[in-house]
Amino acid sequence: MPRRESDSYTRIYAAVKRIPRGRVATYGQIAKLAGLPGQARQVGYALHALRSATAVPWQRVVNAAGAISLRPMTGGVTQRILLEKEGVRFDARGRIALRTFGWRPRRVTRLRA
DNA sequence: ATAATGACTTTCA
DNA sequence: TTGAAAGCCATTA
């Protein structure tokens, strides 16, 4: 009954795997990178479908506010611990400074004078 | 088949 | 800065 539902998921996972260690990306960012612009929710779904023993660094994906979207009880705590282990720091409100830890996919960082 | 849900984002007040 | 409202779309009921 495999209905090749995984095609989109595969792309999403591939994008997530590109996130460097110690960095984080947002759901929207991943969606765009996976060729699914505007489907941030779908990214969340894809990640939710992962098993515990996965090679996908799901913990590096956070929401646009730089916070963990998972509820603490359903894995949020685990995610935070994993990230802190990679060197990602959280502020007093449990948010990550995307300006510092946000991943910038190879894009022309147009630096203006 | 319709309706509700959800690991989201963006815009506007 | 925060919060509400609308937009998106696959999965579930």
Side-chain angles (χ1 to χ4, degrees):
Chain A
M1 51 148 282
R3 322 182 172 187
R4 88 182 72 174
E5 73 239 326
S6 48
D7 195 43
S8 294
Y9 282 17
T10 301
R11 289 186 174 181
I12 291 171
Y13 298 149
V16 174
K17 285 181 184 171
R18 291 176 55 188
I19 307 174
R21 192 173 181 289
R23 284 288 169 96
V24 298
T26 67
Y27 292 93
Q29 212 177 340
I30 294 303
K32 197 171 188 178
L33 244 103
L36 305 167
Q39 296 181 17
R41 278 192 123 131
Q42 197 45 40
V43 173
Y45 246 117
L47 296 185
H48 186 262
L50 289 171
R51 313 284 161 81
S52 36
T54 177
V56 180
W58 58 272
Q59 70 273 23
R60 294 175 194 154
V61 184
V62 298
N63 64 31
I68 287 175
S69 287
L70 269 179
R71 305 243 162 120
M73 269 176 68
T74 60
V77 175
T78 301
Q79 179 172 17
R80 175 162 177 162
I81 291 175
L82 285 172
L83 286 176
E84 291 183 320
K85 215 168 164 186
E86 296 186 353
V88 176
R89 310 261 243 113
F90 290 73
D91 65 13
R93 292 181 133 189
R95 298 191 321 192
I96 298 168
L98 293 180
R99 215 150 143 161
T100 304
F101 300 101
W103 172 47
R104 296 195 169 188
R106 226 151 283 289
R107 202 159 258 225
V108 186
T109 311
R110 57 192 109 118
L111 54 163
R112 295 174 288 177

